[in-house]
Amino acid sequence: MSLLSIISKKAASIVKSYPSRSEQGLTKDMIFQQTYRLPPNSTLEASISVELSIDASTVLIPGQLFLSEDHLVFDSIEPRSCSFVMPLVSMKRVERLASETYLFALLIETLHGQKFSLQFIGLRGQIQDFCERLIENLKRNKSNFRVLREFLSTLYSEFMMADRRGIPKENIPIAPSGGLGQLFSYPGDARKLRDKTKLRLWAEYFRDHGRNLTLIRLPTFQKLIRVGLPNVLRGELWELTSGSMLLRLANPSVYQNLLKEHEGRRSLAIEEIEKDLNRSLPEYPAYQTDEGIERLRRVLTMYSWRNESVGYCQAMNIVVAALLIYMSEEQAFWCLSMLCDHLLPGYYAQTMYGTLLDQRVFEALVEKNMPTLWEHLVKSDIQLSVVSLPWFLSLYVNSMPLTFAFRILDVFFLEGPKVLFQVGLAILRINGEELLDVSDDGAFISILKDYFTKLHEPARPTARNEKIREITRFQELMIVALREFSSITDELIIDQRRKHKNDVLEGIEAFAKRTQLRNLHKTGKLSNDDLVIIYDRFFQALQSSRLGLGPTKTLMNMASFEIFMSGIASWASEPHDFLSRVFHRWDAEFRGGLSLQDVVTGLGSFVQEDIMASMAYFFELYDDDGDGKVDREGILQMSEGLLYLTKNLRNASRTVESEALARPSSSNGSLSPSPPLPVYDYLASVSEFIQRSFQYATPGDTETLVDDNAQLINISGLSLETNAALDPSHPLFITLPTFRMVVLADEALERFFAHDFASSIVFTPVQDPSQQKGTLRELFDSLVNDGVRVAGEVKRRIDEMEQQAREQQAREDAAAMQAAMEAMQEHNNSKPRQNITENPESDINEDNTHLDGDLFDDDETSTVR
């Protein structure tokens, strides 16, 4: 192998060292799972460049090898050239090969007898690390062999490829139970669909390139799928290409356990499922029988229990009904899971966010690829989504004859969601001339319905070439979709989704907001503007994902409630027992959380300026057992609540007092009179409240609550002998009338319940993030400017101090030198003159070090590379 070839392959392997995905917010493991449709929780442990050789072939396929806990994945550098995703449990033998060309090579034999070799390209340490991880994972997967044997018995390819030579007819195993097609026949004419020919071609491919779990995908694999799958293998190949086969292998017995666990249970999703069961592919005979309906009911119900956040959405019944024709219940269950969670996320959520987003993307693609048609649709006010939404939501199953819809599903499971867009664009392109003549939605829909009923007819019946005359309209549709619109790639779809995501989310959220606000009741004196602010702050406090992305948390827990209240109440800046009491009071249905309606109803009772109602509301918060009485402990807790609610009022009172004292009059400079608003001493009022509550409290039934020997108990400096109200052996309580009397006896508390309590709730709009960003930016710029100014001032002062220090040092040095010269002159004058012989060699610094050799070598060959 030439040096250029090695460098080229190395560069290509670096570029493809990891599956790329332009979508943001995904971890490397999530990208790995989505790219190769692996089960959730699969982690990428190692990757390395290799060259693959199948069955001792001399053809080497360069690519990248990925290792997870349970799978070995190969992907060629050249797209669609070769790939496989094999569970480690399906590998029968792994051994090292002797190679003169490569540092390390492995031979792998699968459970189906297929052999292929992997020649590693990389550093020795990297190769060693990969192989050590592979060995560890292979050992860990040995325990799954028993599960593997049971799993393989559910696959038709195993039954089809089994060697029956020498086995008596009575011992030949029967075919595994598959879909409803085994009982009620498959849609379409098997002879016209060339089912036997297709089955023979697949048998040859399985024999040469593995099957089910060990299948290697070569270009022939894609071609066989595009020409249509044989009926008996369609369910298994859907399961294989969608990735749900690996999901089912990783979750043995989960479906059966769900059936046992939820047998006989009811839910809101089940009620919705029951409404749609008899409307699921009524043209197929199985769904006119109890057998077909029961299978459909079980799959939909079990999925709603397993994924309660999604539950059930309309059109899921159509998709599952199509799957059950070719799949068993368990296979259809896991295929539905893969569809909802990976292939079409958000399509079947409550908001249908994924479908609505893809409709916006589809419209953008129509505008770009068929501008004339798009301009006509806009001018005629024809809503394209009215037609295309059912296409995407039912995967074309409910829009065209089943035999053709299943052909689209064949390609969809292999190539992903982009096929839905390609087929939709091809439908519009083929019928474009007729669609330009329509001016309303009804005519638009009619043309396309008529087109779908004629998909079996020749596309060019008048063509001179016989082969062209044999091409049907459906074949023309697939050719246009996969060739003319091959530019519609996964990356393009992802980019378009990101581009239109916010617009769709804002539309869904605005609709949800209008709907929820319209359905609110018991709003009291809250205005529409107040309700809008409450809605925004409610969902802001939940800190949930955007509504359009799917099911969100709609019940507010205590922590979120504290955040919510801190945004609208001046006194709720910190947690307190009062907030906890309000939370539980508003949770009227004892769900452990507050809905938007609960919050609105509760706030409606807060903001009413009715002193009698406000006092009653406050009293009931501390009447724990609802008997109309608040005991000694409750009175003390009431006082703490009043102190909590009036803390800002106390601060405001002190501010008003200080301003009043500091305000001079305009004439003689004397202090101005008291401000017009009264200044209350709330601490004194609360203290009076406690004393009067105990003073006018009603004695309860006497119970011995203390030790008989306890003659004296000190509480806050007071004794039972001096204050009988504090004696726990003599119960007392106050009622609502007593509470009102005590409150009304104090002017400050009276004003608080009449006005201040309601006015402490202020509905301030949530700050716009863009404005907040600007504010933060201004603050940051201000800090930077201040910092620069301060730094400049500090530098100027440092320079001045250094200059002064240098001048002082120079003066000191000059004085010292002058003194030294005078001393030397005096010394010389006192000694006789001597002759000095100068020795040049003696002028050598003892600290100098002699270096043998040069520090730098001019020879380029000595450079360390």
Side-chain angles (χ1 to χ4, degrees):
M1 183 178 295
S2 66
L3 178 61
L4 179 60
S5 176
I6 294 175
I7 294 175
S8 300
K9 290 185 176 181
K10 182 62 178 176
S13 66
I14 292 174
V15 172
K16 196 172 181 180
S17 62
Y18 191 76
S20 62
R21 183 66 61 87
S22 58
E23 191 166 6
Q24 299 176 350
L26 298 178
T27 65
K28 66 174 184 177
D29 290 330
M30 293 170 64
I31 298 174
F32 181 55
Q33 296 161 18
Q34 292 189 11
T35 303
Y36 300 109
R37 300 182 185 177
L38 295 169
N41 303 322
S42 297
T43 58
L44 179 62
E45 294 191 353
S47 64
I48 195 169
S49 300
V50 297
E51 290 187 338
L52 172 69
S53 175
I54 302 173
D55 289 334
S57 171
T58 57
V59 178
L60 298 178
I61 306 172
Q64 198 73 13
L65 194 66
F66 304 97
L67 178 67
S68 72
E69 309 95 319
D70 304 314
H71 302 89
L72 190 66
V73 179
F74 173 80
D75 197 358
S76 60
I77 293 176
E78 183 180 352
R80 298 182 178 276
S81 173
C82 178
S83 65
F84 64 73
V85 180
M86 291 189 188
L88 296 179
V89 70
S90 67
M91 296 178 182
K92 184 178 179 181
R93 184 180 180 187
V94 179
E95 63 179 15
R96 182 173 180 179
L97 284 178
S99 175
E100 298 179 356
T101 308
Y102 295 91
L103 184 64
F104 197 90
L106 286 179
L107 176 66
I108 296 179
E109 181 180 356
T110 69
L111 60 89
H112 295 129
Q114 185 183 14
K115 297 180 181 179
F116 58 89
S117 60
L118 296 167
Q119 288 82 23
F120 290 77
I121 302 173
L123 301 176
R124 181 183 297 274
Q126 184 186 13
I127 296 173
Q128 183 177 358
D129 179 68
F130 188 96
C131 292
E132 287 177 354
R133 290 175 181 267
L134 176 60
I135 292 172
E136 292 176 2
N137 293 351
L138 285 168
K139 291 179 179 178
R140 190 164 51 246
N141 276 271
K142 280 185 177 181
S143 59
N144 296 328
F145 280 124
R146 182 184 59 82
V147 176
L148 178 64
R149 189 178 298 109
E150 296 177 1
F151 181 84
L152 293 175
S153 65
T154 64
L155 301 176
Y156 189 86
S157 60
E158 292 296 309
F159 168 78
M160 184 178 75
M161 301 300 293
D163 187 1
R164 298 180 179 82
R165 290 175 296 182
I167 300 178
K169 290 184 178 181
E170 60 273 12
N171 294 335
I172 294 178
I174 60 174
S177 59
L180 291 167
Q182 289 181 333
L183 302 176
F184 299 92
S185 75
Y186 297 101
D189 187 338
R191 184 181 61 82
K192 292 182 179 180
L193 295 174
R194 300 179 182 178
D195 224 45
K196 289 185 178 180
T197 302
K198 294 176 182 178
L199 200 60
R200 186 177 68 253
L201 293 174
W202 276 103
E204 293 175 1
Y205 190 90
F206 288 161
R207 190 177 300 109
D208 297 335
H209 306 297
R211 57 186 182 269
N212 49 71
L213 297 177
T214 65
L215 186 138
I216 296 177
R217 302 184 186 188
L218 297 170
T220 307
F221 180 75
Q222 282 88 13
K223 293 179 181 178
L224 288 174
I225 287 180
R226 288 190 174 188
V227 299
L229 297 174
N231 286 322
V232 293
L233 285 176
R234 175 166 271 146
E236 179 179 327
L237 289 170
W238 282 356
E239 189 183 21
L240 174 66
T241 53
S242 69
S244 62
M245 181 177 287
L246 299 177
L247 193 60
R248 183 165 68 95
L249 175 64
N251 295 275
S253 304
V254 168
Y255 182 72
Q256 288 74 16
N257 293 338
L258 283 172
L259 289 173
K260 296 177 182 177
E261 180 181 353
H262 298 285
E263 184 178 4
R265 294 182 62 183
R266 305 292 297 177
S267 70
L268 181 60
I270 294 176
E271 295 177 6
E272 297 297 321
I273 291 170
E274 292 296 328
K275 297 177 183 177
D276 291 340
L277 287 177
N278 292 319
R279 294 181 286 187
S280 308
L281 300 186
E283 67 271 27
Y284 186 68
Y287 297 112
Q288 304 300 321
T289 66
D290 292 340
E291 175 68 21
I293 294 297
E294 279 299 319
R295 292 193 189 189
L296 181 60
R297 176 184 287 115
R298 283 192 291 268
V299 173
L300 292 172
T301 302
M302 291 309 106
Y303 182 79
S304 72
W305 283 118
R306 184 174 186 270
N307 192 348
E308 295 187 45
S309 62
V310 173
Y312 171 76
C313 177
Q314 286 186 344
M316 286 175 67
N317 59 316
I318 303 297
V319 175
V320 174
L323 298 177
L324 285 172
I325 296 176
Y326 299 98
M327 291 180 168
S328 66
E329 289 182 38
E330 186 177 12
Q331 288 175 315
F333 172 82
W334 290 113
C335 192
L336 177 63
S337 299
M338 183 60 72
L339 274 171
C340 295
D341 302 338
H342 171 66
L343 293 177
L344 301 173
Y347 264 53
Y348 305 107
Q350 294 177 359
T351 61
M352 295 172 56
Y353 159 72
T355 312
L356 297 177
L357 176 57
D358 278 359
Q359 290 308 295
R360 185 67 63 87
V361 173
F362 184 62
E363 290 175 352
L365 294 176
V366 172
E367 182 180 6
K368 179 181 178 181
N369 291 275
M370 289 169 271
T372 303
L373 177 60
W374 176 254
E375 183 180 352
H376 172 71
L377 296 177
V378 173
K379 186 182 300 183
S380 303
D381 195 23
I382 297 175
Q383 299 297 320
L384 179 60
S385 59
V386 173
V387 175
S388 58
L389 181 62
W391 295 351
F392 284 70
L393 203 55
S394 69
L395 310 181
Y396 294 94
V397 172
N398 225 23
S399 301
M400 61 180 64
L402 293 181
T403 52
F404 301 121
F406 293 153
R407 290 281 302 278
I408 294 176
L409 282 179
D410 294 344
V411 186
F412 164 77
F413 282 120
L414 174 67
E415 301 190 15
K418 68 177 182 180
V419 174
L420 303 179
F421 296 91
Q422 292 171 328
V423 172
L425 291 170
I427 292 171
L428 298 180
R429 172 67 61 81
I430 293 171
N431 296 277
E433 293 184 5
E434 295 182 62
L435 295 175
L436 287 173
D437 295 332
V438 303
S439 58
D440 59 82
D441 293 334
F444 190 86
I445 296 172
S446 178
I447 288 175
L448 295 178
K449 279 189 174 181
D450 182 65
Y451 170 72
F452 290 143
T453 60
K454 298 177 180 179
L455 287 175
H456 63 284
E457 297 179 357
R460 301 288 184 269
T462 60
R464 295 182 179 181
N465 191 316
E466 182 179 355
K467 291 186 178 180
I468 295 179
R469 290 199 302 270
E470 292 178 353
I471 297 177
T472 65
R473 294 193 176 203
F474 178 77
Q475 291 171 334
E476 178 193 40
L477 173 63
M478 297 305 292
I479 291 172
V480 173
L482 300 177
R483 290 185 182 177
E484 293 192 25
F485 293 104
S486 59
S487 60
I488 309 300
T489 61
D490 293 331
E491 288 72 20
L492 176 63
I493 299 300
I494 291 172
D495 289 340
Q496 287 293 316
R497 284 173 174 172
R498 187 185 303 112
K499 179 180 179 180
H500 298 285
K501 175 180 177 180
N502 286 333
D503 291 340
V504 173
L505 282 174
E506 289 171 2
I508 293 174
E509 290 172 349
F511 176 78
K513 187 174 184 177
R514 290 194 303 270
T515 303
Q516 292 195 41
L517 292 179
R518 190 182 303 118
N519 293 331
L520 289 175
H521 57 279
K522 297 181 180 180
T523 57
K525 294 184 179 180
L526 297 173
S527 66
N528 290 334
D529 293 338
D530 293 339
L531 294 176
V532 170
I533 295 171
I534 293 170
Y535 179 95
D536 293 338
R537 289 197 173 276
F538 179 86
F539 283 101
Q540 182 190 55
L542 288 179
Q543 297 181 348
S544 60
S545 60
R546 299 187 69 169
L547 290 177
L549 293 176
T552 59
K553 181 176 59 177
T554 56
L555 287 182
M556 180 184 287
N557 59 22
M558 186 61 203
S560 299
F561 178 68
E562 291 172 352
I563 296 173
F564 171 80
M565 290 300 296
S566 66
I568 64 172
S570 58
W571 38 263
S573 58
E574 57 187 21
H576 192 269
D577 172 68
F578 179 78
L579 278 177
S580 178
R581 291 177 177 275
V582 171
F583 177 84
H584 291 99
R585 171 68 181 272
W586 292 3
D587 184 16
E589 298 184 10
F590 304 101
R591 292 173 296 188
L594 302 179
S595 66
L596 179 62
Q597 180 63 67
D598 295 333
V599 172
V600 168
T601 304
L603 287 174
S605 61
F606 259 27
V607 299
Q608 57 182 348
E609 293 190 0
D610 182 340
I611 185 171
M612 303 304 286
S614 295
M615 288 189 293
Y617 193 91
F618 186 86
F619 180 86
E620 290 168 0
L621 287 176
Y622 292 89
D623 184 7
D624 295 329
D625 51 9
D627 61 353
K629 302 176 183 179
V630 175
D631 59 10
R632 174 187 290 102
E633 183 63 27
I635 295 172
L636 296 175
Q637 291 175 352
M638 274 184 170
S639 64
E640 292 179 1
L642 288 172
L643 289 173
Y644 174 70
L645 293 172
T646 59
K647 59 183 178 181
N648 288 333
L649 297 176
R650 297 199 304 273
N651 295 334
S653 297
R654 286 193 293 271
T655 302
V656 171
E657 287 176 346
S658 62
E659 291 178 352
L661 292 174
R663 187 183 301 115
S665 65
S666 58
S667 59
N668 54 10
S670 62
L671 295 179
S672 63
S674 299
L677 291 178
V679 176
Y680 296 119
D681 186 354
Y682 284 98
L683 286 174
S685 296
V686 174
S687 177
E688 289 290 332
F689 168 79
I690 299 174
Q691 294 181 15
R692 288 173 179 168
S693 295
F694 284 134
Q695 180 180 356
Y696 297 108
T698 303
D701 296 333
T702 304
E703 298 178 4
T704 303
L705 301 177
V706 294
D707 195 297
D708 294 336
N709 297 325
Q711 299 293 329
L712 188 65
I713 301 177
N714 289 323
I715 301 177
S716 302
L718 299 177
S719 67
L720 299 183
E721 292 181 344
T722 59
N723 193 343
L726 298 177
D727 187 356
S729 64
H730 296 84
L732 53 83
F733 61 86
I734 62 172
T735 60
L736 178 58
T738 305
F739 173 73
R740 285 173 172 166
M741 178 186 67
V742 172
V743 169
L744 294 175
D746 187 281
E747 185 179 0
L749 295 181
E750 179 183 358
R751 175 177 172 80
F752 173 76
F753 283 103
H755 172 72
D756 291 345
F757 183 51
S759 63
S760 68
I761 305 296
V762 180
F763 298 113
T764 307
V766 178
Q767 187 175 8
D768 185 5
S770 60
Q771 296 178 359
Q772 184 177 9
K773 182 179 180 181
T775 302
L776 292 176
R777 180 65 183 178
E778 292 172 2
L779 177 61
F780 177 76
D781 291 341
S782 177
L783 290 174
V784 171
N785 293 333
D786 290 344
V788 171
R789 179 179 54 79
V790 172
E793 181 67 21
V794 171
K795 184 176 185 303
R796 183 182 63 79
R797 292 183 180 180
I798 291 176
D799 291 342
E800 291 178 354
M801 294 175 62
E802 289 180 349
Q803 181 64 27
Q804 294 175 0
R806 285 194 296 268
E807 293 175 355
Q808 179 66 23
Q809 185 65 39
R811 288 193 293 270
E812 294 177 355
D813 291 344
M817 184 175 294
Q818 181 65 29
M821 292 178 64
E822 293 176 354
M824 185 179 295
Q825 182 66 33
E826 182 179 355
H827 178 72
N828 291 337
N829 294 334
S830 63
K831 293 183 65 176
R833 182 177 300 273
Q834 296 181 359
N835 293 326
I836 300 176
T837 304
E838 191 172 1
N839 186 1
E841 296 181 0
S842 66
D843 190 14
I844 299 176
N845 190 340
E846 294 180 358
D847 292 335
N848 289 346
T849 304
H850 183 66
L851 300 177
D852 291 326
D854 296 329
L855 280 174
F856 301 99
D857 195 338
D858 293 334
D859 188 359
E860 294 183 357
T861 59
S862 66
T863 303
V864 178
R865 301 185 184 276

